[in-house]
Amino acid sequence: MLKLREKLLLNTALLALVLILQLAGLMKGINTKVDSLLPSPSPSLLSVLTAFGGDVFLIAFSLLTVLLDVRNSGKLSRETLVFLVSAVIGLVIVGVLKVAINEPRPRNHGGFSFPSGHTYRGAIIAVYASNRWKRATPLAVLFALGVAMTRLLLHVHWFGDVLFSLLLAPWVYSIVKATQDSWLPLYRRVISRLGLGAFDVE
């Protein structure tokens, strides 16, 4: 079993590799090949499934986790706070990279392609779920991979887009979790000043 530090180093190396290959244009051949090999199923069912990687589902899931914590202990758990912070930071990174890299989507779909925001949302939910509910890890992994596959089967993302996002989510989560002792005191001071005791952490 890899230790936490070794996992983070491996995750960082893989993430950097995919980003370098993307910036160097070396993912184009793989991306085009994967896109050409994938079928184009009826988009109606896929559109429903891909919504699990959308903003609405992420917000609903986040609210549910907060409500569960507040009901159980009157405060947020550290795991939930790490998830919420990771979701925000990761989506900012995704947005910045989309604009900076300006990769067109497959088959003339509009908007920026790299990386996949839907895949990141699905993956960050999966990382949190597997940390909070260990027994749910296989289901969480299938959830993230399922969202990623819908993006590929709908031909709105390249393989490199979803691969990067699948690697980005655990990387951001690990960094946020590892540094929580640094930023948590500031978070608590802000929550205290705003009088939002329910959003303090255990």
Side-chain angles (χ1 to χ4, degrees), residues 126 129-131 133-146:
S130 63
N131 274 273
W133 303 290
K134 301 292 185 188
R135 291 183 179 180
T137 298
L139 186 60
V141 171
L142 286 174
F143 175 80
L145 292 176

Side-chain angles (χ1 to χ4, degrees), residues 39-69:
S40 299
S42 171
S44 54
L45 176 60
L46 286 176
S47 296
V48 172
L49 295 176
T50 204
F52 287 105
D55 286 324
V56 173
F57 185 77
L58 177 63
I59 291 168
F61 181 83
S62 300
L63 289 173
L64 178 61
T65 61
V66 170
L67 289 173
L68 284 174
D69 282 352

Side-chain angles (χ1 to χ4, degrees), residues 138-183:
L139 186 60
V141 171
L142 286 174
F143 175 80
L145 292 176
V147 171
M149 278 305 300
T150 64
R151 305 312 284 165
L152 294 174
L153 290 171
L154 285 167
H155 300 283
V156 292
H157 276 291
W158 303 106
F159 173 71
D161 305 344
V162 302
L163 177 61
F164 184 84
S165 291
L166 286 171
L167 292 168
L168 181 64
W171 184 80
V172 171
Y173 199 94
S174 296
I175 296 294
V176 171
K177 192 167 186 174
T179 60
Q180 62 184 313
D181 288 339
S182 300
W183 55 263

